[in-house]
Amino acid sequence: MTTLAPTVPGSRRVDPAAAVARTASRSSLRETQTQVLAMAWRALKKMRRKPEQFFDVVIQPLLFTGMFAFIFGGAISGSVSDYLPVLIPGILAQTALTVCMATGVQLREDMDKGVFDRFKSLPIARIAPLAGPMVADLIRYALASVLTLLTGLAIGYRPGGGVLGCVGGVVLTVVAGWSLAWIFTWLGTMARSAQSVQGISMMIMFPLTFLSNAFVPAETLPGWLQAFVKVNPVSHVVSAVRDLFNDGKVTAEVGWAVAGCVVVVAVFAPLAVRSYSRKM
């Protein structure tokens, strides 16, 4: 229940909640950055207390890289070694998409527990509680990407792009994962439960991942499916990472991938903040 400040003769009543909302809306850029970093630190402490949040980051890259390489390598490329330059960038994209999917689930869980009700009473920017955990998740994206690459190296992958190409591919994967996480953050503010967020996210993740060029050459697919693969943002990210890993070149695909990330953030970040403000 909202408590109104006592009325002084000749003055207007002030709603504290409205005052907090006005203060949050007037947060400067520096104040917003500080608030986002504070929320990121909270999320990091939460990860430290719940190490099971890293299971998908640690186990999935090892499992999927080894499984896909040895099961599909001979059938698709003739040998495991020939398939690894195709597979490793695809696994990177799949892992980043899976990891960022958890962002929306955890957000919905916090909202259901009433944590965000406390944030609403604080004079902070509305984007801070949403962006903070996503900044902390950058560590999870980087860890998943590095483990995927190391697993590939352990089973025989030798990237032609060298160290700089690998670093560029990992950075691009992290950026792509962070930008796609805004989609699942928006879903977290829209859905009614964490279970529904997870179900909807899975329906998004599987088409984006498997209906792309992540695991098979697009030329082997039916014509109608090739048309979807060409406009799939995951396909551009995979192609860009392949160019960086295998050739060490910054090609047009890298530009398309970065542009796609910018568009996704520009569309879904405002939607997530608006939905969060309405729900809270």
Side-chain angles (χ1 to χ4, degrees), residues 140-156:
R140 299 175 71 235
Y141 304 147
L143 181 59
S145 301
V146 171
L147 285 177
T148 300
L149 179 58
L150 292 177
T151 304
L153 293 174
I155 60 178

Side-chain angles (χ1 to χ4, degrees), residues 254-268:
V254 177
W256 281 112
V258 173
C261 294
V262 172
V263 171
V264 169
V265 175
V267 172
F268 286 96

Side-chain angles (χ1 to χ4, degrees), residues 62-75:
L62 307 178
L63 178 63
F64 278 91
T65 302
M67 183 176 65
F68 277 60
F70 292 106
I71 293 178
F72 299 117

Side-chain angles (χ1 to χ4, degrees), residues 15-275:
D15 187 351
V20 169
R22 287 195 297 269
T23 303
S25 65
R26 291 196 301 266
S27 296
S28 66
L29 179 60
R30 174 174 290 186
E31 291 172 341
T32 301
Q33 292 174 346
T34 302
Q35 294 156 8
V36 169
L37 291 177
M39 290 297 174
W41 178 247
R42 170 188 174 271
L44 288 175
K45 293 180 68 175
K46 183 179 177 182
M47 291 180 190
R48 186 183 64 182
R49 295 170 182 171
K50 294 183 178 181
E52 61 271 13
Q53 292 186 13
F54 288 96
F55 285 177
D56 59 340
V57 175
V58 176
I59 297 176
Q60 180 173 305
L62 307 178
L63 178 63
F64 278 91
T65 302
M67 183 176 65
F68 277 60
F70 292 106
I71 293 178
F72 299 117
I76 295 176
S77 298
S79 67
V80 174
S81 59
D82 291 336
Y83 186 47
L84 289 177
V86 177
L87 174 67
I88 299 302
I91 293 292
L92 278 173
Q94 182 197 39
T95 302
L97 194 58
T98 305
V99 172
C100 72
M101 181 182 70
T103 303
V105 177
Q106 294 170 8
L107 171 66
R108 185 69 253 178
E109 288 178 349
D110 281 347
M111 293 178 69
D112 291 340
K113 292 177 182 178
V115 176
F116 279 70
D117 290 331
R118 300 179 182 179
F119 295 156
K120 184 183 178 182
S121 65
L122 299 176
I124 61 176
R126 285 292 176 256
I127 197 174
L130 302 179
M134 294 179 61
V135 172
D137 280 342
L138 291 174
I139 296 176
R140 299 175 71 235
Y141 304 147
L143 181 59
S145 301
V146 171
L147 285 177
T148 300
L149 179 58
L150 292 177
T151 304
L153 293 174
I155 60 178
Y157 177 50
R158 297 297 178 263
V163 176
L164 291 179
C166 291
V167 172
V170 170
V171 170
L172 179 59
T173 302
V174 172
V175 171
W178 185 82
S179 62
L180 291 173
W182 280 107
I183 300 176
F184 301 105
T185 298
W186 175 64
L187 289 175
T189 62
M190 293 290 292
R192 296 183 178 180
S193 65
Q195 291 78 8
S196 61
V197 175
Q198 186 171 10
I200 297 172
S201 300
M202 293 292 286
M203 288 190 292
I204 295 175
M205 185 198 73
F206 278 111
L208 285 178
T209 303
F210 289 100
L211 299 183
S212 70
N213 62 351
F215 304 114
V216 297
E219 295 77 14
T220 63
L221 302 174
W224 61 270
L225 188 53
Q226 289 186 34
F228 177 80
V229 170
K230 290 179 180 179
V231 299
N232 188 343
V234 174
S235 297
H236 291 292
V237 173
V238 172
S239 298
V241 175
R242 281 178 183 151
D243 292 338
L244 291 169
F245 272 15
N246 299 327
D247 302 320
K249 296 179 180 179
V250 180
T251 62
E253 287 293 344
V254 177
W256 281 112
V258 173
C261 294
V262 172
V263 171
V264 169
V265 175
V267 172
F268 286 96
L271 287 177
V273 175
R274 183 180 303 175
S275 177

